[in-house]
Short mmCIF file of all heavy atoms in Angstrom, two decimals:
data_model
loop_
_atom_site.label_atom_id
_atom_site.label_comp_id
_atom_site.label_asym_id
_atom_site.label_seq_id
_atom_site.Cartn_x
_atom_site.Cartn_y
_atom_site.Cartn_z
N ARG A 1 0.84 -1.19 0.00
CA ARG A 1 0.00 0.00 0.00
C ARG A 1 0.88 1.25 0.00
O ARG A 1 1.77 1.40 0.84
CB ARG A 1 -0.92 0.00 1.22
CG ARG A 1 -1.98 1.09 1.19
CD ARG A 1 -2.83 1.04 2.44
NE ARG A 1 -3.53 -0.24 2.56
CZ ARG A 1 -4.70 -0.50 1.98
NH1 ARG A 1 -5.29 0.43 1.24
NH2 ARG A 1 -5.28 -1.67 2.15
N ASP A 2 0.65 2.14 -0.97
CA ASP A 2 1.41 3.39 -1.10
C ASP A 2 2.92 3.15 -1.22
O ASP A 2 3.73 3.95 -0.75
CB ASP A 2 1.15 4.32 0.10
CG ASP A 2 -0.31 4.72 0.19
OD1 ASP A 2 -0.91 4.99 -0.86
OD2 ASP A 2 -0.83 4.78 1.32
N PHE A 3 3.31 2.07 -1.86
CA PHE A 3 4.74 1.74 -1.97
C PHE A 3 5.35 2.33 -3.23
O PHE A 3 4.78 2.23 -4.31
CB PHE A 3 4.90 0.22 -1.98
CG PHE A 3 6.33 -0.25 -2.11
CD1 PHE A 3 7.29 0.13 -1.18
CD2 PHE A 3 6.71 -1.07 -3.16
CE1 PHE A 3 8.60 -0.29 -1.30
CE2 PHE A 3 8.02 -1.50 -3.28
CZ PHE A 3 8.97 -1.11 -2.35
N GLU A 4 6.52 2.94 -3.10
CA GLU A 4 7.25 3.50 -4.23
C GLU A 4 8.64 2.90 -4.28
O GLU A 4 9.31 2.76 -3.26
CB GLU A 4 7.36 5.03 -4.11
CG GLU A 4 6.03 5.76 -4.18
CD GLU A 4 6.21 7.27 -4.16
OE1 GLU A 4 7.38 7.73 -4.11
OE2 GLU A 4 5.19 7.98 -4.19
N THR A 5 9.06 2.54 -5.50
CA THR A 5 10.44 2.12 -5.71
C THR A 5 11.19 3.26 -6.38
O THR A 5 10.71 4.39 -6.41
CB THR A 5 10.48 0.83 -6.56
OG1 THR A 5 9.76 1.05 -7.78
CG2 THR A 5 9.85 -0.33 -5.81
N ASN A 6 12.35 2.99 -6.92
CA ASN A 6 13.20 4.06 -7.44
C ASN A 6 12.49 4.94 -8.47
O ASN A 6 12.52 6.17 -8.38
CB ASN A 6 14.46 3.45 -8.05
CG ASN A 6 15.44 4.51 -8.51
OD1 ASN A 6 15.75 5.45 -7.79
ND2 ASN A 6 15.97 4.34 -9.72
N THR A 7 11.86 4.31 -9.46
CA THR A 7 11.20 5.10 -10.52
C THR A 7 9.73 4.75 -10.70
O THR A 7 9.07 5.34 -11.55
CB THR A 7 11.92 4.88 -11.87
OG1 THR A 7 11.74 3.51 -12.29
CG2 THR A 7 13.40 5.19 -11.77
N MET A 8 9.22 3.79 -9.91
CA MET A 8 7.87 3.29 -10.11
C MET A 8 6.99 3.53 -8.88
O MET A 8 7.50 3.68 -7.77
CB MET A 8 7.88 1.79 -10.42
CG MET A 8 8.69 1.41 -11.65
SD MET A 8 7.84 1.82 -13.19
CE MET A 8 6.51 0.62 -13.16
N VAL A 9 5.69 3.50 -9.11
CA VAL A 9 4.70 3.61 -8.05
C VAL A 9 3.88 2.33 -8.02
O VAL A 9 3.43 1.86 -9.06
CB VAL A 9 3.76 4.82 -8.28
CG1 VAL A 9 2.75 4.92 -7.14
CG2 VAL A 9 4.54 6.10 -8.41
N TRP A 10 3.67 1.77 -6.80
CA TRP A 10 2.90 0.54 -6.63
C TRP A 10 1.88 0.80 -5.52
O TRP A 10 2.26 1.24 -4.44
CB TRP A 10 3.80 -0.62 -6.25
CG TRP A 10 5.02 -0.76 -7.11
CD1 TRP A 10 6.22 -0.14 -6.92
CD2 TRP A 10 5.15 -1.53 -8.30
NE1 TRP A 10 7.10 -0.49 -7.91
CE2 TRP A 10 6.47 -1.34 -8.78
CE3 TRP A 10 4.29 -2.37 -9.01
CZ2 TRP A 10 6.93 -1.96 -9.94
CZ3 TRP A 10 4.75 -2.98 -10.15
CH2 TRP A 10 6.06 -2.78 -10.60
N GLN A 11 0.63 0.56 -5.79
CA GLN A 11 -0.38 0.87 -4.79
C GLN A 11 -1.62 0.01 -4.97
O GLN A 11 -1.90 -0.47 -6.06
CB GLN A 11 -0.77 2.35 -4.89
CG GLN A 11 -1.61 2.85 -3.74
CD GLN A 11 -1.84 4.34 -3.81
OE1 GLN A 11 -1.75 4.93 -4.88
NE2 GLN A 11 -2.13 4.95 -2.68
N VAL A 12 -2.33 -0.21 -3.89
CA VAL A 12 -3.59 -0.94 -3.95
C VAL A 12 -4.61 -0.12 -4.72
O VAL A 12 -4.71 1.09 -4.53
CB VAL A 12 -4.12 -1.22 -2.53
CG1 VAL A 12 -5.52 -1.82 -2.59
CG2 VAL A 12 -3.18 -2.13 -1.79
N ARG A 13 -5.35 -0.76 -5.59
CA ARG A 13 -6.44 -0.09 -6.28
C ARG A 13 -7.74 -0.79 -5.97
O ARG A 13 -7.84 -2.01 -6.11
CB ARG A 13 -6.24 -0.08 -7.80
CG ARG A 13 -7.29 0.77 -8.50
CD ARG A 13 -7.14 0.76 -9.99
NE ARG A 13 -7.96 -0.30 -10.58
CZ ARG A 13 -8.29 -0.31 -11.87
NH1 ARG A 13 -7.84 0.61 -12.68
NH2 ARG A 13 -9.04 -1.28 -12.33
N THR A 14 -8.70 -0.06 -5.49
CA THR A 14 -10.02 -0.62 -5.22
C THR A 14 -10.91 -0.37 -6.42
O THR A 14 -10.52 0.31 -7.38
CB THR A 14 -10.64 0.03 -3.97
OG1 THR A 14 -10.87 1.41 -4.24
CG2 THR A 14 -9.71 -0.11 -2.77
N ALA A 15 -12.12 -0.87 -6.37
CA ALA A 15 -13.06 -0.71 -7.49
C ALA A 15 -13.42 0.75 -7.70
O ALA A 15 -13.83 1.14 -8.78
CB ALA A 15 -14.32 -1.54 -7.25
N GLU A 16 -13.29 1.56 -6.64
CA GLU A 16 -13.69 2.96 -6.74
C GLU A 16 -12.56 3.87 -7.22
O GLU A 16 -12.78 5.04 -7.51
CB GLU A 16 -14.18 3.49 -5.39
CG GLU A 16 -15.48 2.86 -4.91
CD GLU A 16 -15.26 1.47 -4.36
OE1 GLU A 16 -14.13 1.17 -3.93
OE2 GLU A 16 -16.23 0.68 -4.38
N SER A 17 -11.32 3.35 -7.31
CA SER A 17 -10.20 4.21 -7.68
C SER A 17 -10.20 4.52 -9.16
O SER A 17 -10.86 3.85 -9.96
CB SER A 17 -8.88 3.52 -7.32
OG SER A 17 -8.81 3.32 -5.93
N GLU A 18 -9.45 5.54 -9.55
CA GLU A 18 -9.34 5.92 -10.95
C GLU A 18 -8.65 4.82 -11.74
O GLU A 18 -7.76 4.14 -11.25
CB GLU A 18 -8.56 7.22 -11.10
CG GLU A 18 -9.26 8.43 -10.51
CD GLU A 18 -8.47 9.70 -10.72
OE1 GLU A 18 -7.43 9.62 -11.40
OE2 GLU A 18 -8.89 10.75 -10.22
N LYS A 19 -9.04 4.66 -12.99
CA LYS A 19 -8.42 3.66 -13.84
C LYS A 19 -6.98 4.05 -14.16
O LYS A 19 -6.64 5.22 -14.23
CB LYS A 19 -9.19 3.52 -15.15
CG LYS A 19 -10.57 2.89 -14.99
CD LYS A 19 -11.22 2.71 -16.33
CE LYS A 19 -12.58 2.04 -16.19
NZ LYS A 19 -13.21 1.85 -17.51
N GLY A 20 -6.16 3.02 -14.35
CA GLY A 20 -4.81 3.26 -14.83
C GLY A 20 -3.78 3.50 -13.76
O GLY A 20 -2.60 3.58 -14.05
N PHE A 21 -4.21 3.63 -12.48
CA PHE A 21 -3.21 3.87 -11.44
C PHE A 21 -2.54 2.57 -11.07
O PHE A 21 -3.13 1.50 -11.16
CB PHE A 21 -3.88 4.48 -10.21
CG PHE A 21 -2.91 5.12 -9.26
CD1 PHE A 21 -2.35 6.35 -9.56
CD2 PHE A 21 -2.53 4.48 -8.11
CE1 PHE A 21 -1.45 6.93 -8.70
CE2 PHE A 21 -1.62 5.07 -7.24
CZ PHE A 21 -1.08 6.29 -7.54
N ALA A 22 -1.28 2.64 -10.68
CA ALA A 22 -0.55 1.43 -10.32
C ALA A 22 -1.24 0.76 -9.14
O ALA A 22 -1.77 1.42 -8.27
CB ALA A 22 0.88 1.79 -9.95
N ARG A 23 -1.22 -0.54 -9.11
CA ARG A 23 -1.94 -1.22 -8.05
C ARG A 23 -1.46 -2.63 -7.84
O ARG A 23 -0.81 -3.22 -8.68
CB ARG A 23 -3.44 -1.25 -8.34
CG ARG A 23 -3.86 -2.16 -9.51
CD ARG A 23 -3.75 -1.46 -10.83
NE ARG A 23 -4.33 -2.22 -11.91
CZ ARG A 23 -4.13 -1.92 -13.18
NH1 ARG A 23 -3.41 -0.89 -13.52
NH2 ARG A 23 -4.67 -2.66 -14.13
N ILE A 24 -1.80 -3.17 -6.71
CA ILE A 24 -1.76 -4.61 -6.52
C ILE A 24 -3.16 -4.99 -6.09
O ILE A 24 -3.72 -4.38 -5.20
CB ILE A 24 -0.73 -5.06 -5.47
CG1 ILE A 24 -0.92 -6.54 -5.17
CG2 ILE A 24 -0.82 -4.28 -4.19
CD1 ILE A 24 0.16 -7.13 -4.31
N ARG A 25 -3.75 -5.94 -6.79
CA ARG A 25 -5.10 -6.33 -6.48
C ARG A 25 -5.10 -7.78 -6.05
O ARG A 25 -4.42 -8.62 -6.61
CB ARG A 25 -6.01 -6.16 -7.71
CG ARG A 25 -6.14 -4.72 -8.15
CD ARG A 25 -7.34 -4.58 -9.06
NE ARG A 25 -7.18 -5.33 -10.29
CZ ARG A 25 -7.01 -4.76 -11.49
NH1 ARG A 25 -6.93 -3.47 -11.59
NH2 ARG A 25 -6.92 -5.50 -12.57
N ALA A 26 -5.89 -8.10 -5.08
CA ALA A 26 -5.98 -9.47 -4.61
C ALA A 26 -7.44 -9.83 -4.41
O ALA A 26 -8.21 -9.08 -3.82
CB ALA A 26 -5.22 -9.65 -3.30
N ARG A 27 -7.85 -10.97 -4.93
CA ARG A 27 -9.22 -11.44 -4.81
C ARG A 27 -9.18 -12.88 -4.33
O ARG A 27 -8.48 -13.72 -4.89
CB ARG A 27 -9.93 -11.38 -6.17
CG ARG A 27 -9.89 -10.02 -6.82
CD ARG A 27 -10.93 -9.09 -6.26
NE ARG A 27 -12.24 -9.49 -6.74
CZ ARG A 27 -13.38 -9.01 -6.25
NH1 ARG A 27 -13.36 -8.16 -5.28
NH2 ARG A 27 -14.54 -9.40 -6.74
N THR A 28 -9.89 -13.20 -3.28
CA THR A 28 -9.89 -14.56 -2.77
C THR A 28 -11.31 -15.08 -2.65
O THR A 28 -12.25 -14.33 -2.42
CB THR A 28 -9.20 -14.66 -1.39
OG1 THR A 28 -9.98 -13.89 -0.45
CG2 THR A 28 -7.80 -14.10 -1.44
N LEU A 29 -11.44 -16.38 -2.76
CA LEU A 29 -12.74 -17.00 -2.60
C LEU A 29 -12.50 -18.47 -2.29
O LEU A 29 -11.64 -19.11 -2.90
CB LEU A 29 -13.57 -16.88 -3.89
CG LEU A 29 -15.04 -17.30 -3.80
CD1 LEU A 29 -15.81 -16.35 -2.89
CD2 LEU A 29 -15.67 -17.31 -5.19
N HIS A 30 -13.24 -18.99 -1.33
CA HIS A 30 -13.05 -20.40 -0.98
C HIS A 30 -13.43 -21.29 -2.16
O HIS A 30 -14.39 -21.03 -2.87
CB HIS A 30 -13.90 -20.78 0.24
CG HIS A 30 -13.41 -20.15 1.50
ND1 HIS A 30 -12.15 -20.37 2.00
CD2 HIS A 30 -14.02 -19.28 2.34
CE1 HIS A 30 -12.00 -19.68 3.11
NE2 HIS A 30 -13.12 -19.02 3.35
N LYS A 31 -12.70 -22.37 -2.32
CA LYS A 31 -12.97 -23.30 -3.40
C LYS A 31 -14.28 -24.03 -3.16
O LYS A 31 -14.68 -24.25 -2.03
CB LYS A 31 -11.83 -24.32 -3.52
CG LYS A 31 -10.50 -23.69 -3.87
CD LYS A 31 -9.41 -24.74 -3.79
CE LYS A 31 -8.05 -24.13 -4.02
NZ LYS A 31 -6.97 -25.08 -3.80
N VAL A 32 -14.93 -24.41 -4.24
CA VAL A 32 -16.19 -25.11 -4.11
C VAL A 32 -16.03 -26.59 -4.41
O VAL A 32 -16.98 -27.35 -4.34
CB VAL A 32 -17.24 -24.51 -5.08
CG1 VAL A 32 -17.56 -23.10 -4.68
CG2 VAL A 32 -16.76 -24.56 -6.52
N VAL A 33 -14.81 -27.00 -4.75
CA VAL A 33 -14.52 -28.41 -4.96
C VAL A 33 -13.30 -28.77 -4.15
O VAL A 33 -12.52 -27.91 -3.75
CB VAL A 33 -14.25 -28.73 -6.45
CG1 VAL A 33 -15.51 -28.50 -7.27
CG2 VAL A 33 -13.13 -27.87 -7.00
N GLU A 34 -13.12 -30.06 -3.88
CA GLU A 34 -12.01 -30.48 -3.03
C GLU A 34 -10.67 -30.23 -3.71
O GLU A 34 -9.72 -29.80 -3.08
CB GLU A 34 -12.14 -31.97 -2.70
CG GLU A 34 -11.07 -32.47 -1.75
CD GLU A 34 -11.30 -33.90 -1.34
OE1 GLU A 34 -12.34 -34.46 -1.70
OE2 GLU A 34 -10.41 -34.46 -0.67
N GLU A 35 -10.58 -30.52 -5.02
CA GLU A 35 -9.34 -30.30 -5.75
C GLU A 35 -9.59 -29.29 -6.86
O GLU A 35 -10.57 -29.40 -7.59
CB GLU A 35 -8.82 -31.60 -6.38
CG GLU A 35 -8.19 -32.54 -5.39
CD GLU A 35 -7.51 -33.69 -6.10
OE1 GLU A 35 -7.15 -33.53 -7.29
OE2 GLU A 35 -7.32 -34.74 -5.49
N PRO A 36 -8.68 -28.32 -7.04
CA PRO A 36 -8.85 -27.35 -8.12
C PRO A 36 -8.67 -28.04 -9.47
O PRO A 36 -7.88 -28.97 -9.61
CB PRO A 36 -7.75 -26.32 -7.87
CG PRO A 36 -6.72 -27.07 -7.09
CD PRO A 36 -7.47 -28.05 -6.25
N LEU A 37 -9.40 -27.55 -10.46
CA LEU A 37 -9.38 -28.18 -11.77
C LEU A 37 -7.99 -28.19 -12.39
O LEU A 37 -7.58 -29.14 -13.02
CB LEU A 37 -10.37 -27.44 -12.70
CG LEU A 37 -10.53 -28.02 -14.11
CD1 LEU A 37 -11.04 -29.45 -14.03
CD2 LEU A 37 -11.49 -27.15 -14.91
N PHE A 38 -7.24 -27.09 -12.22
CA PHE A 38 -5.92 -26.99 -12.83
C PHE A 38 -4.80 -27.03 -11.79
O PHE A 38 -3.67 -26.69 -12.10
CB PHE A 38 -5.82 -25.71 -13.66
CG PHE A 38 -6.68 -25.75 -14.90
CD1 PHE A 38 -7.87 -25.06 -14.94
CD2 PHE A 38 -6.31 -26.51 -15.99
CE1 PHE A 38 -8.67 -25.10 -16.07
CE2 PHE A 38 -7.10 -26.56 -17.13
CZ PHE A 38 -8.29 -25.86 -17.17
N GLY A 39 -5.09 -27.41 -10.57
CA GLY A 39 -4.05 -27.63 -9.58
C GLY A 39 -3.54 -26.40 -8.86
O GLY A 39 -2.84 -26.53 -7.88
N ALA A 40 -3.87 -25.20 -9.31
CA ALA A 40 -3.27 -23.99 -8.75
C ALA A 40 -4.04 -23.46 -7.55
O ALA A 40 -5.27 -23.46 -7.55
CB ALA A 40 -3.17 -22.90 -9.82
N ASP A 41 -3.32 -23.04 -6.54
CA ASP A 41 -3.91 -22.28 -5.44
C ASP A 41 -3.90 -20.80 -5.76
O ASP A 41 -4.80 -20.06 -5.39
CB ASP A 41 -3.10 -22.49 -4.15
CG ASP A 41 -3.56 -23.71 -3.38
OD1 ASP A 41 -4.73 -24.08 -3.50
OD2 ASP A 41 -2.74 -24.27 -2.64
N ILE A 42 -2.83 -20.36 -6.44
CA ILE A 42 -2.61 -18.94 -6.66
C ILE A 42 -2.32 -18.68 -8.13
O ILE A 42 -1.52 -19.37 -8.76
CB ILE A 42 -1.40 -18.44 -5.82
CG1 ILE A 42 -1.65 -18.69 -4.34
CG2 ILE A 42 -1.13 -16.97 -6.09
CD1 ILE A 42 -0.40 -18.49 -3.48
N VAL A 43 -2.99 -17.69 -8.69
CA VAL A 43 -2.65 -17.15 -10.00
C VAL A 43 -2.06 -15.77 -9.74
O VAL A 43 -2.73 -14.91 -9.18
CB VAL A 43 -3.87 -17.01 -10.92
CG1 VAL A 43 -3.44 -16.53 -12.30
CG2 VAL A 43 -4.64 -18.32 -11.02
N MET A 44 -0.82 -15.55 -10.11
CA MET A 44 -0.19 -14.26 -9.86
C MET A 44 0.21 -13.63 -11.18
O MET A 44 0.86 -14.27 -12.01
CB MET A 44 1.04 -14.41 -8.97
CG MET A 44 1.61 -13.08 -8.50
SD MET A 44 2.77 -13.28 -7.12
CE MET A 44 2.98 -11.57 -6.62
N THR A 45 -0.20 -12.39 -11.40
CA THR A 45 0.14 -11.68 -12.62
C THR A 45 0.81 -10.37 -12.29
O THR A 45 0.70 -9.84 -11.18
CB THR A 45 -1.12 -11.39 -13.48
OG1 THR A 45 -1.96 -10.46 -12.78
CG2 THR A 45 -1.88 -12.67 -13.76
N ILE A 46 1.53 -9.85 -13.26
CA ILE A 46 2.16 -8.55 -13.11
C ILE A 46 1.87 -7.72 -14.35
O ILE A 46 1.87 -8.25 -15.47
CB ILE A 46 3.69 -8.67 -12.88
CG1 ILE A 46 4.28 -7.31 -12.50
CG2 ILE A 46 4.40 -9.28 -14.07
CD1 ILE A 46 5.72 -7.40 -11.96
#
């Protein structure tokens, strides 16, 4: 949250924030099956 590196800005973006701002977004939801279809617990993108 509100993190800045040398030349970049990284920040949480909520649904109400302006589009295009740097962000890290996380969405979680309990699984509805015992085993995930593709084996993954986490999908991480940049």
